[in-house]
């Protein structure tokens, strides 16, 4: 399984941004997919995850109501729509895939999101 994240950039507080992660590998379609982030000087933290069917989603409290994760199995992608961005959302965002939640075997390379206040 390979993951390729894209869509990061520099935005202002209150703006929106959409991240996309293309995945390849037959097994990935049956894996849960997730987004994590790591801010400078901090540990990597969970942001959101979607089930392999894409019908359930879980969010970190810090992004609930602002971020939406959705997967498109037809396009082999997992996306993260980020609205009402805050400076504290600044981080490198990583997509991950695994056979079960909290068993993230595969990671993408990360994409930088910078939110200026």
């Amino acid at each position: 399984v390979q993951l390729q994240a894209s869509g990061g950039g520099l935005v202002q507080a209150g703006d929106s941004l959409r991240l996309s992660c293309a995945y390849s590998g037959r097994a990935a379609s049956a894996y849960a997919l997730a987004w994590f982030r790591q801010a400078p000087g901090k540990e990597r933290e969970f942001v959101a995850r979607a089930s392999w069917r894409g019908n359930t989603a879980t969010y970190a409290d810090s992004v609930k109501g602002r971020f939406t994760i959705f997967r498109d199995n037809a396009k082999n992608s997992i996306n993260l729509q980020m609205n009402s961005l805050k400076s504290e959302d600044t981080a490198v965002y990583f997509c991950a895939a695994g056979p079960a939640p909290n068993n993230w075997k595969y990671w993408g390379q990360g994409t930088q999101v910078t939110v200026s206040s």
Side-chain angles (χ1 to χ4, degrees), residues 11-101:
V11 297
Q12 294 187 333
D15 284 353
S16 298
L17 198 61
R18 178 177 294 187
L19 305 182
S20 182
C21 177
Y23 59 83
S24 60
R26 185 181 303 177
S29 295
Y31 281 359
L33 295 168
W35 286 95
F36 289 75
R37 66 186 182 187
Q38 186 167 18
K42 295 187 177 181
E43 293 188 352
R44 188 173 299 186
E45 65 174 2
F46 166 78
V47 175
R49 70 170 183 255
S51 63
W52 72 274
R53 290 177 186 260
N55 57 345
T56 60
T58 305
Y59 298 92
D61 288 342
S62 59
V63 305
K64 203 172 293 184
R66 299 188 299 121
F67 290 11
T68 302
I69 187 171
F70 57 100
R71 68 187 294 169
D72 187 340
N73 283 341
K75 295 183 178 180
N76 289 354
S77 68
I78 182 74
N79 306 287
L80 186 68
Q81 177 66 41
M82 305 184 295
N83 299 328
S84 303
L85 283 162
K86 306 175 181 180
S87 58
E88 50 263 45
D89 295 319
T90 294
V92 178
Y93 284 70
F94 300 87
C95 52

